[in-house]
C-alpha cells in the first residue's frame, strides 16, 4: 500500500474544513440544541465540535513551519495581526451577535501571541556559540509567561494553553 503524503496546502484545507464544522456547530446547532433539546442536534453538535478541535493543532503546526521558513518574521507577525483584527468583527458577530465583544477573541490572536513567543525564544540563541547569560534567559522567559497570561486574560481562543502548544511544537 502506498503512503499518502499531505503538504502544507492539504493541511490547511483539512484545518479549514474542521474549523468550518466547529463554527457551523457553534453558530447553528448549539442554539437548536438549547431550544429543542433534540438528541440528533445534540449528537451532531458534539461530533462536529469535536472534529473542529483538530483545527488548532494543525494551524499551530503550520505557524511553526512558517516561522522556521519565512525570511521576514516581522512581516509574518504583521500579516497575522492584521488578519486577526479584520476577522474579529465577523467572529464577534457570529458568536455573540455584537460588533465588538471583549469576552472572547478569535484564534488568530492566540497564533499571533504564540508567534511572538517563538520570536523571543529565537532571541535566546541568536546564532551564538557561547552560553546565554541567566539574566537574558529570565527576561525572555518572563516575556513568554506574560504573553501566555495576556492570552488568558484577553480571552483569546485556547488562551495560555494555545501559546504553550505552539511553543512545544517549536
Amino acid at each position: 500500500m502506498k503512503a499518502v503524503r499531505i503538504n502544507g496546502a492539504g493541511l490547511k484545507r483539512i484545518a479549514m474544513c474542521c474549523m468550518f464544522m466547529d463554527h457551523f456547530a457553534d453558530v447553528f446547532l448549539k442554539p437548536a440544541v438549547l431550544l429543542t433539546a433534540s438528541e440528533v442536534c445534540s449528537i451532531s453538535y458534539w461530533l462536529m465540535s469535536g472534529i473542529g478541535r483538530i483545527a488548532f493543532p494543525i494551524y499551530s503546526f503550520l505557524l511553526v513551519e512558517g516561522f522556521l521558513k519565512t525570511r521576514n518574521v516581522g512581516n509574518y507577525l504583521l500579516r497575522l495581526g492584521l488578519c486577526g483584527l479584520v476577522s474579529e468583527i465577523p467572529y464577534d458577530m457570529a458568536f455573540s451577535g455584537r460588533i465588538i465583544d471583549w469576552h472572547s477573541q478569535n484564534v488568530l490572536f492566540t497564533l499571533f501571541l504564540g508567534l511572538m513567543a517563538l520570536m523571543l525564544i529565537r532571541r535566546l540563541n541568536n546564532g551564538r556559540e557561547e552560553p546565554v547569560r541567566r539574566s537574558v534567559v529570565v527576561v525572555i522567559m518572563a516575556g513568554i509567561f506574560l504573553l501566555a497570561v495576556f492570552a488568558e486574560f484577553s480571552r483569546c481562543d485556547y488562551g495560555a494553553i494555545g501559546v504553550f502548544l505552539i511553543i512545544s511544537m517549536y
Side-chain angles (χ1 to χ4, degrees), residues 71-109:
R71 281 181 246 149
N72 191 334
V73 180
N75 280 346
Y76 189 23
L77 185 69
L78 179 66
R79 286 192 312 270
L80 192 59
L82 288 174
C83 285
L85 287 172
V86 167
S87 62
E88 185 63 23
I89 290 174
Y91 175 85
D92 286 344
M93 290 183 73
F95 291 104
S96 70
R98 296 185 218 147
I99 292 175
I100 295 179
D101 181 15
W102 296 106
H103 293 98
S104 69
Q105 313 319 315
N106 69 57
V107 74
L108 291 172
F109 290 117

Side-chain angles (χ1 to χ4, degrees), residues 8 28 35 45 55 60-61 73 77 79 94-95 97 106 109 132 136:
F28 296 109
L35 288 175
Y45 170 76
S60 297
F61 172 78
V73 180
L77 185 69
R79 286 192 312 270
F95 291 104
N106 69 57
F109 290 117
V132 181
V136 173

